[in-house]
Amino acid sequence: PTSQELWPHRFLHNNDSWDGRGTLPNGCRGPILLYTGNEGPIDAFWPSNGFMIEVLAPKLGGLLLFPEERFYGKSMPLPWSAENLKYLTTAQVLEDYVEVINHVKSTLPGASNCPVVAFGGSYGATLTALLRASHPTAVVGGMAASSELGYYDKERWAEHGVTEFTFDDIVTGDYGTALTECLPAIQKVKAVIEATDEETLVQTFHLCDATALGANKTDLFTYALEEFPQIDYPYAIGSTPAKPVTYVCEMLVAAALEDSNTLLKAAANVTELALGFDGSCVPFMYGPGNTPGDGPDLASWGWQSCTETLHAFSARGIREYTFDYSSSKDLCARIFNNIPLPDMSSIARAFGGYALADGSAGVSHLIWSQG
């Protein structure tokens, strides 16, 4: 390295259960349960990890360790800028976590010989799998929940029944399963939004200006709807209620029986719930109307999408969208001053895609789960 400068890397840890009940023959007081922090402040992921915190740690006498992904939350190696984001890569994130593991083992009495088991969800699950694959001496195993790793291995989509519509079909199916009247209610909301003037939409949805709606009036609303199936936990987390997909469906179905103004307000409430409305106006974002599941945007995850994690997703359910690589590439160039170039298969090439799950890569001790 050309620089030996250090930067403040935030991690959470809890030793309430690390009291010797899980003592191992080698003298370790109990295993280290590592959550591979993904795209967001790490303290936001703590409340959604009941399995690790409330079940595994007490049962195994484990030490909980939650490192934050670089360029999220308070873990900023450098000031946030398009130029500095070149230091935000999956490989660098994995190295960070190995450094955190080594730091804890070398500074915490009783931890030096402790095995580390990794856990993660979504992109965090991908990080768990890649950490086990690339640093097998750092973690002895991992549990990857709802990993999107296979989406980066497009050459093998067909043999696994994956298409460009898989993500959107799951999202649409979740709403259709929650309540039979939900999808018709969503379509009714879209029709009401389309028939409403922009000034009224700006006021009702608390937008900074009409550009926040997206290219189409319904883009912001459908963007919000794509969020809830990804966080459909059976318990409340912060301001998000338990089973938010069902909660949203019940709200929209009930409002659909009333007048258009009531339905419009319900749609605004749903949108604000998804965006974490804090009382300020909703600004313009690049996400609404673009890649399902979130893609290029002027944010850290937007940068990752513009380099390694762009998904070739199209939509045909709640909304219509056709993925086009050239358009996504051009959007990334506009957002980040022509610096990044999306490489949608780089993660699979570097670490492995479906080969990690089917065993052909020779990586063991990985559990893959849904949800």
Side-chain angles (χ1 to χ4, degrees), residues 109-174:
S112 60
N113 295 327
C114 292
V116 179
V117 182
F119 300 81
S122 190
Y123 175 63
T126 295
L127 292 175
T128 284
L130 301 186
L131 186 61
R132 170 60 185 161
S134 61
H135 296 81
T137 60
V139 294
V140 299
M143 180 175 179
S146 298
S147 170
E148 24 76 285
L149 179 58
Y151 289 135
Y152 306 125
D153 195 358
K154 192 175 181 181
E155 291 183 358
R156 298 187 62 185
W157 277 15
E159 66 183 275
H160 290 275
V162 175
T163 73
E164 63 186 297
F165 297 108
T166 295
F167 176 87
D168 180 70
D169 287 348
I170 293 171
V171 169
T172 303
D174 281 355

Side-chain angles (χ1 to χ4, degrees), residues 93-117:
V93 172
L94 297 176
E95 294 296 332
D96 288 343
Y97 294 167
V98 173
E99 287 294 320
V100 170
I101 292 170
N102 291 338
H103 170 74
V104 170
K105 284 190 169 188
S106 63
T107 59
L108 188 63
S112 60
N113 295 327
C114 292
V116 179
V117 182

